[in-house]
Amino acid sequence: MRSVKVTKASPFSLAISEIAPDKSISHRCAMFAMLAEGTSEITNFLRAEDTLNSLNIVKNLGARVVDDGDTIKISSEGIKESSEILDCGNSGTGMRLFCGLLSSAEGHFVLTGDEYLRRRPMKRVTAPLRDIGAKLDGRNNGDLAPLSIRGASLRAFDYESKIASAQVKSAMILAALRADGECSYSEPELSRDHTERMLKGMGAEIKTDGLTTRIKPMKKLLSPLKIRVPSDPSSAFFFAVVAAITPDSDVVLEGVTLNPTRIEAFKALERMGADISYETTENKYEPIGNIRVKHSPLKAIVVEDNISWLIDELPALSIAFACAEGVSVVKNAEELRVKESDRISTVVNGLRACGIEVEEVHDGYSVKGGELKAATIDSHGDHRIAMSFIIAGAKCSMQVTDIECINTSFPNFFEIFQKITKVEFL
């Protein structure tokens, strides 16, 4: 179990172009290429454990994948039954979206993952898929992996989700593309919309009206993807927080997706007082551009709306809370409890270890800003917890254990972070 010790940072000014490619979009590129006629061409694909697992699953499902180190070309003649167990590694996105993709494919498929993924709940996807005819099962009545899927004919549906989840929505959209009639999916608030944007760009008949998405079944295979994956704003956000909490510092985060459903954490940091500006440079499947963040004194805020838009960034945002004046509050974030770790508990316990006053409730927590103190933090195998407390080390010395998990989403994190401050691997 590797650990790292971080030294307090000096003021810095930095432009970062090598932020990890977007994980959510990379997953979808691999999967959606299976629905296309012809060869999809993907540049800047995230070569991290989670997304490479999705790419390997696509290969096992019969796709031809050619990777020259720059561009990945994926050609498929339809989903084929695999003799292999399909390993999603640590990725809940991978497992849940493959459930939707495979639920109507001819054959039998088994999805599994690492010890952390096998503990995460899957019934939020398996239950609505079963309701429309999917033959899908797993441990604890289909709630826990490994999951078994036998492709079936799926009925059209009008589904109202009780939670705002891009993973659930994406799984149901993928199922709807091969259902026996037009489908609709409604959610309590709009979740991230990469799936809708990308599939519409490929020619799928998908329309979003407020909180309802309507999907018509495919009449033919979709057009292949021709895409450069933008940098991941969730990964970029760690460096936004470092700049915001380090006096006389600023950072330019280049080539990130500026999709409104993905930059809510930056908007929250703006509300706290950080000086943030945006520049759009291109707009095809996604708006893409640069984000500049400058240090400014931070004040406390309440985060309770559009939670699904910043659920992944809340651990890092909580480091900013700890450095702000006043008491910041997070509400309606119970989804944090079923991530790679129980992120409410891991954030609360980590901040308390750093000398910060925190109160925990079932769907969130409150953080009283103060002075971060040196501590040793266990990531519990959660990459976002690990990186969040590593960036806290830019404010005070910090040691974080169990850091191998960072490779699941951001393999070059330390390469960039060492441009800001000193790290020592233990």
Side-chain angles (χ1 to χ4, degrees), residues 40 119 149 185 203 245-246 264 282 286 294 310 353 371 378 404 406 408 414:
S40 292
R119 293 201 294 259
I149 304 169
Y185 180 95
I245 66 175
T246 305
E264 184 70 12
E282 61 179 288
E286 297 269 330
K294 299 179 182 179
L310 49 60
E371 183 179 351
D378 183 352
E404 291 92 340
I406 292 172
T408 64
F414 285 111

Side-chain angles (χ1 to χ4, degrees), residues 160-358:
E160 294 187 12
S161 177
K162 295 180 180 179
I163 60 173
S165 168
Q167 294 177 358
V168 177
K169 178 172 63 175
S170 297
M172 296 301 287
I173 289 173
L174 289 169
L177 290 175
R178 295 188 185 277
D180 64 6
E182 183 172 341
C183 302
S184 72
Y185 180 95
S186 301
E187 53 190 345
E189 66 178 39
L190 185 64
S191 60
R192 292 174 172 177
D193 62 353
H194 297 303
T195 293
E196 301 95 300
R197 287 173 179 264
M198 292 177 67
L199 289 173
K200 281 194 285 187
M202 297 172 71
E205 294 186 67
I206 300 175
K207 293 183 179 180
T208 300
D209 181 13
L211 299 177
T212 299
T213 300
R214 303 188 187 282
I215 313 100
K216 291 184 179 180
M218 295 189 303
K219 297 184 178 70
K220 60 180 181 179
L221 292 175
L222 303 178
S223 300
L225 283 162
K226 307 290 183 184
I227 185 172
R228 175 179 173 81
V229 178
S231 295
D232 190 332
S234 299
S235 296
F237 189 66
F238 293 107
F239 299 102
V241 172
V242 175
I245 66 175
T246 305
D248 301 317
S249 296
D250 76 282
V251 67
V252 178
L253 307 163
E254 298 180 348
V256 300
T257 174
L258 300 179
N259 182 322
T261 67
R262 290 299 304 280
I263 58 172
E264 184 70 12
F266 290 89
K267 297 298 184 181
L269 198 57
E270 268 189 277
R271 289 197 288 123
M272 295 180 72
D275 182 352
I276 303 181
S277 58
Y278 308 85
E279 176 193 13
T280 301
T281 56
E282 61 179 288
N283 195 344
K284 188 180 179 183
Y285 300 101
E286 297 269 330
I288 297 171
N290 306 323
I291 304 176
R292 184 169 190 173
V293 183
K294 299 179 182 179
H295 169 265
S296 188
L298 301 180
K299 61 181 184 296
I301 60 169
V302 176
V303 177
E304 58 183 338
D305 299 320
N306 294 330
I307 290 292
S308 64
W309 292 10
L310 49 60
I311 198 77
D312 287 336
E313 295 88 353
L314 275 171
L317 187 62
S318 299
I319 303 302
F321 294 161
C323 300
E325 180 183 355
V327 179
S328 295
V329 180
V330 175
K331 300 179 180 179
N332 304 321
E334 195 169 4
E335 178 76 5
L336 281 172
R337 294 200 182 273
V338 293
K339 291 293 186 176
E340 283 82 340
S341 67
D342 178 342
R343 285 183 180 160
I344 290 178
S345 292
T346 50
V347 166
V348 167
N349 292 336
L351 289 177
R352 285 175 178 164
C354 297
I356 300 299
E357 187 177 324
V358 190

Side-chain angles (χ1 to χ4, degrees), residues 189 361 372:
E189 66 178 39
V361 295
L372 282 166

Side-chain angles (χ1 to χ4, degrees), residues 43-222:
T43 58
N44 205 40
F45 184 89
L46 175 62
R47 287 171 169 80
E49 290 176 4
D50 278 358
T51 47
L52 290 173
N53 281 326
S54 286
L55 192 63
N56 192 53
I57 288 173
V58 164
K59 290 179 186 177
N60 284 328
L61 293 173
R64 182 171 181 265
V65 178
V66 178
D67 182 359
D68 65 8
D70 179 41
T71 301
I72 293 176
K73 297 181 179 181
I74 304 177
S75 306
S76 173
E77 296 180 356
I79 297 170
K80 305 292 194 299
E81 187 176 64
S82 174
S83 62
E84 301 293 328
I85 304 297
L86 306 175
D87 189 353
C88 299
N90 187 246
S91 178
T93 298
M95 181 166 285
R96 292 179 179 127
L97 268 63
F98 273 118
C99 283
L101 183 69
L102 298 175
S103 59
S104 62
E106 185 175 342
H108 177 244
F109 312 92
V110 178
L111 295 169
T112 191
D114 67 13
E115 61 177 308
Y116 301 105
L117 185 57
R118 293 196 303 272
R119 293 201 294 259
R120 295 177 66 182
M122 295 295 148
K123 193 170 286 187
R124 61 184 56 195
V125 167
T126 61
L129 287 172
R130 283 169 160 178
D131 287 345
I132 62 171
K135 297 178 180 178
L136 203 159
D137 204 359
R139 294 184 300 126
N140 195 28
N141 194 29
D143 192 35
L144 298 174
L147 299 177
S148 169
I149 304 169
R150 186 172 295 281
S153 297
L154 303 181
R155 297 184 293 275
F157 60 84
D158 296 301
Y159 181 70
E160 294 187 12
S161 177
K162 295 180 180 179
I163 60 173
S165 168
Q167 294 177 358
V168 177
K169 178 172 63 175
S170 297
M172 296 301 287
I173 289 173
L174 289 169
L177 290 175
R178 295 188 185 277
D180 64 6
E182 183 172 341
C183 302
S184 72
Y185 180 95
S186 301
E187 53 190 345
E189 66 178 39
L190 185 64
S191 60
R192 292 174 172 177
D193 62 353
H194 297 303
T195 293
E196 301 95 300
R197 287 173 179 264
M198 292 177 67
L199 289 173
K200 281 194 285 187
M202 297 172 71
E205 294 186 67
I206 300 175
K207 293 183 179 180
T208 300
D209 181 13
L211 299 177
T212 299
T213 300
R214 303 188 187 282
I215 313 100
K216 291 184 179 180
M218 295 189 303
K219 297 184 178 70
K220 60 180 181 179
L221 292 175
L222 303 178

